[in-house]
Amino acid sequence: MAWLPYINMAIFWLAVWLLLWNLYIVVFNRGVPNIRTAPAIRKKIIQLLKEDAKRHTAAPYKVIDIGSGNGQFTREIARALPHARVTGIEISRQSYWWSMCIKRLFRLHNLDYKRVDFFTYDVSDVDAVVMFFYRLHRVAQKLRRELKPGTLVTSNKFKLGDGWVPHDVIDVKTLYPFQKKLYVYYKPEA
Ligand SMILES: C[S@@+](CC[C@H](N)C(=O)[O-])C[C@H]1O[C@@H](n2cnc3c(N)ncnc32)[C@H](O)[C@@H]1O
């Protein structure tokens, strides 16, 4: 049983890592893990955004990411849709700060971030919303109240509450264990 101390040590460091990770989530992210949308799902959403953007030619197409985390997805959207205005809404100071630094480094002029609680942010002028978020009943109520009819809404993994009916539910093959479904909505007329 010479390997027993190594197993003990591995379990100990795994427990320490899990504790620190959970502390980080509770302290900096209000209990929401900062996990990225899987690459295959990001690709699918960008395709949907590109198609939807063709319907909006008068003014810049405005996209928001509710809870933009470290900004990877917003950067990809900004690059894929150079004529759109992309805004990441992020509550965590660290994630906001990091996103701003990278945005400046890559000079992404059509990308911006707001460090605010999404529930205080006015969404009445946006054309598309992407999210990988929680508290979806409250989010759904706010989107129903404020969004313009026809606004595209995509939700990775989680279904919107408050009576929203998906226009499409897309199964996406990803290597991420818990991300396989993408819900697509359009804000109804009434
Ligand atoms: C699961 S991550 C999603 C990251 C990114 N949108 C993506 O899809 O790759 C969710 C993010 O929401 C942020 N968040 C949690 N509550 C928030 C709130 N009330 N307002 C804005 N952001 C919030 C967290 O800090 C976290 O970075």
Side-chain angles (χ1 to χ4, degrees):
M1 296 274 198
W3 40 265
L4 208 56
Y6 295 106
I7 301 266
N8 278 339
M9 192 59 89
I11 292 173
F12 171 76
W13 283 113
L14 181 67
V16 169
W17 185 84
L18 282 175
L19 183 69
L20 291 176
W21 172 241
N22 279 303
L23 264 177
Y24 168 82
I25 288 168
V26 169
V27 173
F28 294 118
N29 275 43
R30 301 207 176 177
V32 185
N34 188 349
I35 301 168
R36 286 178 189 175
T37 291
I41 297 180
R42 299 203 300 263
K43 201 171 156 196
K44 183 71 208 168
I45 296 172
I46 286 175
Q47 184 193 330
L48 293 170
L49 291 171
K50 280 182 167 173
E51 285 161 16
D52 192 57
K54 288 184 194 149
R55 298 192 297 129
H56 299 74
T57 44
Y61 182 64
K62 290 186 188 159
V63 184
I64 62 164
D65 181 3
I66 305 176
S68 48
N70 294 338
Q72 163 100 22
F73 190 21
T74 46
R75 287 191 291 279
E76 287 180 9
I77 299 171
R79 285 192 189 105
L81 287 96
H83 301 297
R85 292 254 10 120
V86 183
T87 306
I89 314 294
E90 177 53 54
I91 204 163
S92 153
R93 192 186 301 273
Q94 287 67 27
S95 301
Y96 167 80
W97 176 83
W98 175 258
S99 303
M100 286 298 284
C101 288
I102 305 289
K103 161 207 141 76
R104 285 185 188 130
L105 183 69
F106 290 108
R107 298 175 188 215
L108 292 166
H109 301 300
N110 62 335
L111 174 60
D112 201 5
Y113 295 95
K114 303 283 178 207
R115 195 180 82 76
V116 288
D117 181 343
F118 163 69
F119 293 102
T120 66
Y121 186 80
D122 178 9
V123 295
S124 58
D125 70 339
V126 308
D127 300 304
V129 177
V130 303
M131 70 180 116
F132 180 23
F133 205 69
Y134 68 130
R135 292 159 82 186
L136 283 194
H137 193 74
R138 198 171 162 207
V139 172
Q141 286 176 331
K142 178 174 166 62
L143 296 183
R144 181 179 289 287
R145 257 194 328 270
E146 295 179 18
L147 288 182
K148 293 179 291 194
T151 303
L152 170 67
V153 178
T154 70
S155 176
N156 176 17
K157 182 176 169 66
F158 300 111
K159 202 173 170 188
L160 277 184
D162 194 40
W164 281 78
V165 178
H167 168 81
D168 204 357
V169 181
I170 304 172
D171 290 307
V172 186
K173 271 196 183 153
T174 77
L175 296 175
Y176 286 36
F178 302 109
Q179 297 186 42
K180 307 284 176 205
K181 275 203 192 309
L182 175 64
Y183 294 89
V184 181
Y185 302 86
Y186 290 94
K187 164 80 194 291
E189 285 299 322

